[in-house]
Amino acid sequence: MTRASDLKKSDVIEHNGGLFVIRQIDVQSPSARGAATLYRVRAHQVGGGSKFEERYKGDEEVTTVSLQRRPVHFSYVDGDDYVFMDDEDFSQYPIKGDDIADELSFITEQGDGVLALRVGEAVIGLELPASVVLTITETTPAMKAASASARTKPATLETGLVVQVPEYLQEGEKVKINTTERKFMSRA
């Protein structure tokens, strides 16, 4: 059992006899005195299928399932499945592209720090590191008089993700990207 205020994205909860992976948590803090903070949880069923949305009070107990986290590397694409290989025992885990659509923008073939989330033998998703290093593939040319101020320009990265970067950066440079906020952090 876990308090609703301690739930995180990618946690697995039990609901009506099924297992669901949390995809999104919205926190609603009411302005009235004495009102409880509400956590709106959106989850998808493990293995595909139904979805559900529920609101919990912060101190409410939610039944969670323990996860195994295994280090993996992206291996190849097989139709709609993305296949990841376990770094320790070389097992292969196919995951539906729809289940990891948000994470695909940060995954490269040499990407380190990616963890496969397993419940029993089923792989239910991926956990990304806090930041990843990606290469800029397309952006407008650097300006000669560009300063290190807050002026930014859009840049397309090697995975297709578009982020705002300082205008002095050029194509081919490596940048560090925050995976939760999807924002530029620094040069790599």
Side-chain angles (χ1 to χ4, degrees), residues 144-176:
K144 292 265 186 209
S147 65
S149 66
R151 295 192 327 194
T152 61
K153 63 182 179 181
T156 304
L157 305 176
E158 62 187 295
T159 59
L161 179 67
V162 178
V163 296
Q164 292 291 321
V165 298
E167 49 183 23
Y168 58 83
L169 292 176
Q170 303 175 32
E171 290 181 14
E173 290 194 60
K174 293 187 179 292
V175 292
K176 195 175 199 180

PDB file of all heavy atoms in Angstrom, residues 144-176:
ATOM      1  N   LYS A 144      26.861  35.483 -35.000  1.00  0.00           N
ATOM      2  CA  LYS A 144      28.177  35.967 -34.571  1.00  0.00           C
ATOM      3  C   LYS A 144      28.070  36.784 -33.288  1.00  0.00           C
ATOM      4  O   LYS A 144      28.903  36.688 -32.413  1.00  0.00           O
ATOM      5  CB  LYS A 144      28.808  36.836 -35.662  1.00  0.00           C
ATOM      6  CG  LYS A 144      29.178  36.061 -36.885  1.00  0.00           C
ATOM      7  CD  LYS A 144      30.605  35.659 -36.817  1.00  0.00           C
ATOM      8  CE  LYS A 144      30.979  35.011 -38.137  1.00  0.00           C
ATOM      9  NZ  LYS A 144      31.998  34.049 -38.002  1.00  0.00           N
ATOM     10  N   ALA A 145      27.046  37.585 -33.172  1.00  0.00           N
ATOM     11  CA  ALA A 145      26.915  38.471 -32.014  1.00  0.00           C
ATOM     12  C   ALA A 145      26.039  37.878 -30.922  1.00  0.00           C
ATOM     13  O   ALA A 145      25.561  38.576 -30.052  1.00  0.00           O
ATOM     14  CB  ALA A 145      26.347  39.813 -32.464  1.00  0.00           C
ATOM     15  N   ALA A 146      25.816  36.580 -30.985  1.00  0.00           N
ATOM     16  CA  ALA A 146      24.937  35.939 -30.000  1.00  0.00           C
ATOM     17  C   ALA A 146      25.578  35.989 -28.616  1.00  0.00           C
ATOM     18  O   ALA A 146      26.768  35.798 -28.454  1.00  0.00           O
ATOM     19  CB  ALA A 146      24.674  34.496 -30.386  1.00  0.00           C
ATOM     20  N   SER A 147      24.762  36.268 -27.652  1.00  0.00           N
ATOM     21  CA  SER A 147      25.254  36.304 -26.276  1.00  0.00           C
ATOM     22  C   SER A 147      24.749  35.070 -25.546  1.00  0.00           C
ATOM     23  O   SER A 147      23.950  34.306 -26.072  1.00  0.00           O
ATOM     24  CB  SER A 147      24.751  37.570 -25.576  1.00  0.00           C
ATOM     25  OG  SER A 147      23.351  37.514 -25.455  1.00  0.00           O
ATOM     26  N   ALA A 148      25.190  34.901 -24.344  1.00  0.00           N
ATOM     27  CA  ALA A 148      24.752  33.755 -23.545  1.00  0.00           C
ATOM     28  C   ALA A 148      23.500  34.097 -22.762  1.00  0.00           C
ATOM     29  O   ALA A 148      23.214  33.498 -21.744  1.00  0.00           O
ATOM     30  CB  ALA A 148      25.859  33.323 -22.603  1.00  0.00           C
ATOM     31  N   SER A 149      22.764  35.068 -23.253  1.00  0.00           N
ATOM     32  CA  SER A 149      21.534  35.462 -22.556  1.00  0.00           C
ATOM     33  C   SER A 149      20.427  34.463 -22.846  1.00  0.00           C
ATOM     34  O   SER A 149      20.656  33.420 -23.426  1.00  0.00           O
ATOM     35  CB  SER A 149      21.122  36.873 -22.993  1.00  0.00           C
ATOM     36  OG  SER A 149      20.750  36.851 -24.361  1.00  0.00           O
ATOM     37  N   ALA A 150      19.233  34.801 -22.483  1.00  0.00           N
ATOM     38  CA  ALA A 150      18.106  33.872 -22.558  1.00  0.00           C
ATOM     39  C   ALA A 150      17.485  33.769 -23.945  1.00  0.00           C
ATOM     40  O   ALA A 150      16.434  33.186 -24.089  1.00  0.00           O
ATOM     41  CB  ALA A 150      17.050  34.279 -21.552  1.00  0.00           C
ATOM     42  N   ARG A 151      18.120  34.319 -24.982  1.00  0.00           N
ATOM     43  CA  ARG A 151      17.543  34.214 -26.319  1.00  0.00           C
ATOM     44  C   ARG A 151      17.759  32.796 -26.828  1.00  0.00           C
ATOM     45  O   ARG A 151      18.855  32.250 -26.751  1.00  0.00           O
ATOM     46  CB  ARG A 151      18.170  35.243 -27.256  1.00  0.00           C
ATOM     47  CG  ARG A 151      17.841  36.650 -26.811  1.00  0.00           C
ATOM     48  CD  ARG A 151      18.159  37.711 -27.787  1.00  0.00           C
ATOM     49  NE  ARG A 151      19.324  37.458 -28.630  1.00  0.00           N
ATOM     50  CZ  ARG A 151      19.895  38.396 -29.361  1.00  0.00           C
ATOM     51  NH1 ARG A 151      19.438  39.631 -29.332  1.00  0.00           N
ATOM     52  NH2 ARG A 151      20.932  38.104 -30.116  1.00  0.00           N
ATOM     53  N   THR A 152      16.693  32.197 -27.357  1.00  0.00           N
ATOM     54  CA  THR A 152      16.760  30.801 -27.786  1.00  0.00           C
ATOM     55  C   THR A 152      16.252  30.640 -29.209  1.00  0.00           C
ATOM     56  O   THR A 152      15.645  31.549 -29.779  1.00  0.00           O
ATOM     57  CB  THR A 152      15.927  29.890 -26.868  1.00  0.00           C
ATOM     58  OG1 THR A 152      14.555  30.301 -26.933  1.00  0.00           O
ATOM     59  CG2 THR A 152      16.419  29.939 -25.442  1.00  0.00           C
ATOM     60  N   LYS A 153      16.496  29.454 -29.761  1.00  0.00           N
ATOM     61  CA  LYS A 153      16.013  29.083 -31.088  1.00  0.00           C
ATOM     62  C   LYS A 153      15.655  27.599 -31.037  1.00  0.00           C
ATOM     63  O   LYS A 153      16.167  26.855 -30.203  1.00  0.00           O
ATOM     64  CB  LYS A 153      17.084  29.346 -32.143  1.00  0.00           C
ATOM     65  CG  LYS A 153      18.353  28.513 -31.937  1.00  0.00           C
ATOM     66  CD  LYS A 153      19.404  28.836 -32.971  1.00  0.00           C
ATOM     67  CE  LYS A 153      20.665  28.004 -32.733  1.00  0.00           C
ATOM     68  NZ  LYS A 153      21.709  28.308 -33.685  1.00  0.00           N
ATOM     69  N   PRO A 154      14.760  27.133 -31.924  1.00  0.00           N
ATOM     70  CA  PRO A 154      14.423  25.702 -31.931  1.00  0.00           C
ATOM     71  C   PRO A 154      15.542  24.879 -32.567  1.00  0.00           C
ATOM     72  O   PRO A 154      16.193  25.323 -33.505  1.00  0.00           O
ATOM     73  CB  PRO A 154      13.144  25.651 -32.769  1.00  0.00           C
ATOM     74  CG  PRO A 154      13.182  26.873 -33.617  1.00  0.00           C
ATOM     75  CD  PRO A 154      13.951  27.909 -32.848  1.00  0.00           C
ATOM     76  N   ALA A 155      15.742  23.689 -32.026  1.00  0.00           N
ATOM     77  CA  ALA A 155      16.734  22.766 -32.571  1.00  0.00           C
ATOM     78  C   ALA A 155      16.136  21.364 -32.607  1.00  0.00           C
ATOM     79  O   ALA A 155      15.504  20.930 -31.638  1.00  0.00           O
ATOM     80  CB  ALA A 155      17.996  22.769 -31.715  1.00  0.00           C
ATOM     81  N   THR A 156      16.339  20.664 -33.724  1.00  0.00           N
ATOM     82  CA  THR A 156      15.892  19.285 -33.852  1.00  0.00           C
ATOM     83  C   THR A 156      17.051  18.381 -33.457  1.00  0.00           C
ATOM     84  O   THR A 156      18.165  18.542 -33.947  1.00  0.00           O
ATOM     85  CB  THR A 156      15.453  18.987 -35.297  1.00  0.00           C
ATOM     86  OG1 THR A 156      14.444  19.923 -35.672  1.00  0.00           O
ATOM     87  CG2 THR A 156      14.907  17.569 -35.420  1.00  0.00           C
ATOM     88  N   LEU A 157      16.764  17.427 -32.575  1.00  0.00           N
ATOM     89  CA  LEU A 157      17.795  16.514 -32.085  1.00  0.00           C
ATOM     90  C   LEU A 157      17.755  15.212 -32.876  1.00  0.00           C
ATOM     91  O   LEU A 157      16.831  14.963 -33.654  1.00  0.00           O
ATOM     92  CB  LEU A 157      17.597  16.268 -30.595  1.00  0.00           C
ATOM     93  CG  LEU A 157      17.543  17.539 -29.744  1.00  0.00           C
ATOM     94  CD1 LEU A 157      17.253  17.205 -28.299  1.00  0.00           C
ATOM     95  CD2 LEU A 157      18.842  18.313 -29.855  1.00  0.00           C
ATOM     96  N   GLU A 158      18.741  14.340 -32.663  1.00  0.00           N
ATOM     97  CA  GLU A 158      18.881  13.105 -33.440  1.00  0.00           C
ATOM     98  C   GLU A 158      17.689  12.171 -33.344  1.00  0.00           C
ATOM     99  O   GLU A 158      17.455  11.353 -34.233  1.00  0.00           O
ATOM    100  CB  GLU A 158      20.150  12.369 -33.037  1.00  0.00           C
ATOM    101  CG  GLU A 158      20.172  11.918 -31.585  1.00  0.00           C
ATOM    102  CD  GLU A 158      21.516  11.345 -31.178  1.00  0.00           C
ATOM    103  OE1 GLU A 158      21.894  10.291 -31.724  1.00  0.00           O
ATOM    104  OE2 GLU A 158      22.171  11.950 -30.323  1.00  0.00           O
ATOM    105  N   THR A 159      16.875  12.270 -32.300  1.00  0.00           N
ATOM    106  CA  THR A 159      15.711  11.394 -32.154  1.00  0.00           C
ATOM    107  C   THR A 159      14.437  12.021 -32.724  1.00  0.00           C
ATOM    108  O   THR A 159      13.375  11.411 -32.678  1.00  0.00           O
ATOM    109  CB  THR A 159      15.472  11.073 -30.669  1.00  0.00           C
ATOM    110  OG1 THR A 159      15.274  12.295 -29.961  1.00  0.00           O
ATOM    111  CG2 THR A 159      16.639  10.311 -30.086  1.00  0.00           C
ATOM    112  N   GLY A 160      14.550  13.270 -33.219  1.00  0.00           N
ATOM    113  CA  GLY A 160      13.386  13.973 -33.755  1.00  0.00           C
ATOM    114  C   GLY A 160      12.761  14.938 -32.768  1.00  0.00           C
ATOM    115  O   GLY A 160      11.868  15.702 -33.120  1.00  0.00           O
ATOM    116  N   LEU A 161      13.215  14.924 -31.529  1.00  0.00           N
ATOM    117  CA  LEU A 161      12.707  15.836 -30.508  1.00  0.00           C
ATOM    118  C   LEU A 161      13.136  17.258 -30.836  1.00  0.00           C
ATOM    119  O   LEU A 161      14.280  17.495 -31.224  1.00  0.00           O
ATOM    120  CB  LEU A 161      13.252  15.427 -29.136  1.00  0.00           C
ATOM    121  CG  LEU A 161      12.840  16.272 -27.942  1.00  0.00           C
ATOM    122  CD1 LEU A 161      11.353  16.122 -27.664  1.00  0.00           C
ATOM    123  CD2 LEU A 161      13.635  15.865 -26.716  1.00  0.00           C
ATOM    124  N   VAL A 162      12.229  18.226 -30.698  1.00  0.00           N
ATOM    125  CA  VAL A 162      12.546  19.632 -30.928  1.00  0.00           C
ATOM    126  C   VAL A 162      12.513  20.355 -29.587  1.00  0.00           C
ATOM    127  O   VAL A 162      11.514  20.292 -28.869  1.00  0.00           O
ATOM    128  CB  VAL A 162      11.543  20.284 -31.908  1.00  0.00           C
ATOM    129  CG1 VAL A 162      11.843  21.754 -32.095  1.00  0.00           C
ATOM    130  CG2 VAL A 162      11.557  19.559 -33.239  1.00  0.00           C
ATOM    131  N   VAL A 163      13.622  21.014 -29.238  1.00  0.00           N
ATOM    132  CA  VAL A 163      13.722  21.773 -27.992  1.00  0.00           C
ATOM    133  C   VAL A 163      14.280  23.155 -28.287  1.00  0.00           C
ATOM    134  O   VAL A 163      14.891  23.387 -29.334  1.00  0.00           O
ATOM    135  CB  VAL A 163      14.620  21.069 -26.941  1.00  0.00           C
ATOM    136  CG1 VAL A 163      14.030  19.755 -26.501  1.00  0.00           C
ATOM    137  CG2 VAL A 163      16.019  20.881 -27.459  1.00  0.00           C
ATOM    138  N   GLN A 164      14.085  24.067 -27.357  1.00  0.00           N
ATOM    139  CA  GLN A 164      14.657  25.400 -27.459  1.00  0.00           C
ATOM    140  C   GLN A 164      16.060  25.375 -26.872  1.00  0.00           C
ATOM    141  O   GLN A 164      16.258  24.889 -25.761  1.00  0.00           O
ATOM    142  CB  GLN A 164      13.789  26.419 -26.690  1.00  0.00           C
ATOM    143  CG  GLN A 164      12.432  26.669 -27.305  1.00  0.00           C
ATOM    144  CD  GLN A 164      12.526  27.408 -28.626  1.00  0.00           C
ATOM    145  OE1 GLN A 164      13.337  28.311 -28.795  1.00  0.00           O
ATOM    146  NE2 GLN A 164      11.700  27.019 -29.574  1.00  0.00           N
ATOM    147  N   VAL A 165      17.045  25.883 -27.645  1.00  0.00           N
ATOM    148  CA  VAL A 165      18.436  25.928 -27.202  1.00  0.00           C
ATOM    149  C   VAL A 165      18.945  27.362 -27.337  1.00  0.00           C
ATOM    150  O   VAL A 165      18.384  28.145 -28.105  1.00  0.00           O
ATOM    151  CB  VAL A 165      19.324  24.955 -28.015  1.00  0.00           C
ATOM    152  CG1 VAL A 165      18.869  23.517 -27.834  1.00  0.00           C
ATOM    153  CG2 VAL A 165      19.370  25.333 -29.477  1.00  0.00           C
ATOM    154  N   PRO A 166      20.025  27.726 -26.638  1.00  0.00           N
ATOM    155  CA  PRO A 166      20.610  29.055 -26.818  1.00  0.00           C
ATOM    156  C   PRO A 166      21.049  29.250 -28.270  1.00  0.00           C
ATOM    157  O   PRO A 166      21.461  28.299 -28.937  1.00  0.00           O
ATOM    158  CB  PRO A 166      21.820  29.050 -25.875  1.00  0.00           C
ATOM    159  CG  PRO A 166      21.483  28.016 -24.854  1.00  0.00           C
ATOM    160  CD  PRO A 166      20.681  26.979 -25.572  1.00  0.00           C
ATOM    161  N   GLU A 167      20.980  30.482 -28.753  1.00  0.00           N
ATOM    162  CA  GLU A 167      21.216  30.706 -30.179  1.00  0.00           C
ATOM    163  C   GLU A 167      22.672  30.564 -30.608  1.00  0.00           C
ATOM    164  O   GLU A 167      22.952  30.526 -31.791  1.00  0.00           O
ATOM    165  CB  GLU A 167      20.638  32.044 -30.637  1.00  0.00           C
ATOM    166  CG  GLU A 167      20.978  33.229 -29.814  1.00  0.00           C
ATOM    167  CD  GLU A 167      20.308  34.505 -30.304  1.00  0.00           C
ATOM    168  OE1 GLU A 167      19.276  34.457 -30.994  1.00  0.00           O
ATOM    169  OE2 GLU A 167      20.847  35.554 -29.983  1.00  0.00           O
ATOM    170  N   TYR A 168      23.610  30.421 -29.696  1.00  0.00           N
ATOM    171  CA  TYR A 168      25.010  30.237 -30.083  1.00  0.00           C
ATOM    172  C   TYR A 168      25.352  28.786 -30.433  1.00  0.00           C
ATOM    173  O   TYR A 168      26.418  28.498 -30.940  1.00  0.00           O
ATOM    174  CB  TYR A 168      25.961  30.739 -28.994  1.00  0.00           C
ATOM    175  CG  TYR A 168      25.776  30.081 -27.648  1.00  0.00           C
ATOM    176  CD1 TYR A 168      26.359  28.861 -27.350  1.00  0.00           C
ATOM    177  CD2 TYR A 168      25.008  30.695 -26.669  1.00  0.00           C
ATOM    178  CE1 TYR A 168      26.177  28.260 -26.114  1.00  0.00           C
ATOM    179  CE2 TYR A 168      24.822  30.108 -25.433  1.00  0.00           C
ATOM    180  CZ  TYR A 168      25.411  28.889 -25.166  1.00  0.00           C
ATOM    181  OH  TYR A 168      25.222  28.309 -23.947  1.00  0.00           O
ATOM    182  N   LEU A 169      24.450  27.828 -30.175  1.00  0.00           N
ATOM    183  CA  LEU A 169      24.715  26.420 -30.478  1.00  0.00           C
ATOM    184  C   LEU A 169      24.547  26.141 -31.972  1.00  0.00           C
ATOM    185  O   LEU A 169      23.733  26.764 -32.644  1.00  0.00           O
ATOM    186  CB  LEU A 169      23.794  25.513 -29.673  1.00  0.00           C
ATOM    187  CG  LEU A 169      24.044  25.504 -28.165  1.00  0.00           C
ATOM    188  CD1 LEU A 169      23.012  24.643 -27.468  1.00  0.00           C
ATOM    189  CD2 LEU A 169      25.432  25.011 -27.850  1.00  0.00           C
ATOM    190  N   GLN A 170      25.323  25.169 -32.480  1.00  0.00           N
ATOM    191  CA  GLN A 170      25.309  24.831 -33.901  1.00  0.00           C
ATOM    192  C   GLN A 170      24.970  23.363 -34.097  1.00  0.00           C
ATOM    193  O   GLN A 170      24.980  22.583 -33.153  1.00  0.00           O
ATOM    194  CB  GLN A 170      26.693  25.101 -34.495  1.00  0.00           C
ATOM    195  CG  GLN A 170      27.182  26.505 -34.319  1.00  0.00           C
ATOM    196  CD  GLN A 170      28.604  26.649 -34.829  1.00  0.00           C
ATOM    197  OE1 GLN A 170      29.001  25.977 -35.770  1.00  0.00           O
ATOM    198  NE2 GLN A 170      29.366  27.520 -34.212  1.00  0.00           N
ATOM    199  N   GLU A 171      24.727  23.010 -35.369  1.00  0.00           N
ATOM    200  CA  GLU A 171      24.476  21.610 -35.718  1.00  0.00           C
ATOM    201  C   GLU A 171      25.702  20.777 -35.379  1.00  0.00           C
ATOM    202  O   GLU A 171      26.826  21.238 -35.508  1.00  0.00           O
ATOM    203  CB  GLU A 171      24.158  21.480 -37.203  1.00  0.00           C
ATOM    204  CG  GLU A 171      22.815  22.054 -37.582  1.00  0.00           C
ATOM    205  CD  GLU A 171      22.503  21.894 -39.067  1.00  0.00           C
ATOM    206  OE1 GLU A 171      23.200  21.121 -39.753  1.00  0.00           O
ATOM    207  OE2 GLU A 171      21.559  22.545 -39.512  1.00  0.00           O
ATOM    208  N   GLY A 172      25.471  19.542 -34.923  1.00  0.00           N
ATOM    209  CA  GLY A 172      26.562  18.637 -34.599  1.00  0.00           C
ATOM    210  C   GLY A 172      27.001  18.699 -33.148  1.00  0.00           C
ATOM    211  O   GLY A 172      27.727  17.824 -32.686  1.00  0.00           O
ATOM    212  N   GLU A 173      26.580  19.717 -32.414  1.00  0.00           N
ATOM    213  CA  GLU A 173      26.974  19.820 -31.002  1.00  0.00           C
ATOM    214  C   GLU A 173      26.101  18.897 -30.162  1.00  0.00           C
ATOM    215  O   GLU A 173      24.936  18.657 -30.462  1.00  0.00           O
ATOM    216  CB  GLU A 173      26.838  21.257 -30.501  1.00  0.00           C
ATOM    217  CG  GLU A 173      27.864  22.194 -31.092  1.00  0.00           C
ATOM    218  CD  GLU A 173      27.929  23.507 -30.349  1.00  0.00           C
ATOM    219  OE1 GLU A 173      28.219  23.490 -29.138  1.00  0.00           O
ATOM    220  OE2 GLU A 173      27.689  24.542 -30.987  1.00  0.00           O
ATOM    221  N   LYS A 174      26.678  18.391 -29.086  1.00  0.00           N
ATOM    222  CA  LYS A 174      25.954  17.526 -28.153  1.00  0.00           C
ATOM    223  C   LYS A 174      25.412  18.380 -27.011  1.00  0.00           C
ATOM    224  O   LYS A 174      26.116  19.239 -26.480  1.00  0.00           O
ATOM    225  CB  LYS A 174      26.872  16.439 -27.612  1.00  0.00           C
ATOM    226  CG  LYS A 174      27.299  15.437 -28.675  1.00  0.00           C
ATOM    227  CD  LYS A 174      28.064  14.297 -28.060  1.00  0.00           C
ATOM    228  CE  LYS A 174      28.490  13.283 -29.081  1.00  0.00           C
ATOM    229  NZ  LYS A 174      27.420  12.544 -29.675  1.00  0.00           N
ATOM    230  N   VAL A 175      24.163  18.117 -26.643  1.00  0.00           N
ATOM    231  CA  VAL A 175      23.509  18.860 -25.571  1.00  0.00           C
ATOM    232  C   VAL A 175      22.890  17.900 -24.568  1.00  0.00           C
ATOM    233  O   VAL A 175      22.533  16.772 -24.899  1.00  0.00           O
ATOM    234  CB  VAL A 175      22.425  19.823 -26.116  1.00  0.00           C
ATOM    235  CG1 VAL A 175      23.033  20.947 -26.916  1.00  0.00           C
ATOM    236  CG2 VAL A 175      21.398  19.081 -26.945  1.00  0.00           C
ATOM    237  N   LYS A 176      22.776  18.363 -23.341  1.00  0.00           N
ATOM    238  CA  LYS A 176      22.170  17.584 -22.262  1.00  0.00           C
ATOM    239  C   LYS A 176      20.717  18.025 -22.136  1.00  0.00           C
ATOM    240  O   LYS A 176      20.442  19.223 -22.016  1.00  0.00           O
ATOM    241  CB  LYS A 176      22.938  17.855 -20.973  1.00  0.00           C
ATOM    242  CG  LYS A 176      22.682  16.897 -19.874  1.00  0.00           C
ATOM    243  CD  LYS A 176      23.612  17.218 -18.716  1.00  0.00           C
ATOM    244  CE  LYS A 176      23.739  16.064 -17.778  1.00  0.00           C
ATOM    245  NZ  LYS A 176      24.634  16.385 -16.673  1.00  0.00           N
TER     246      LYS A 176
END
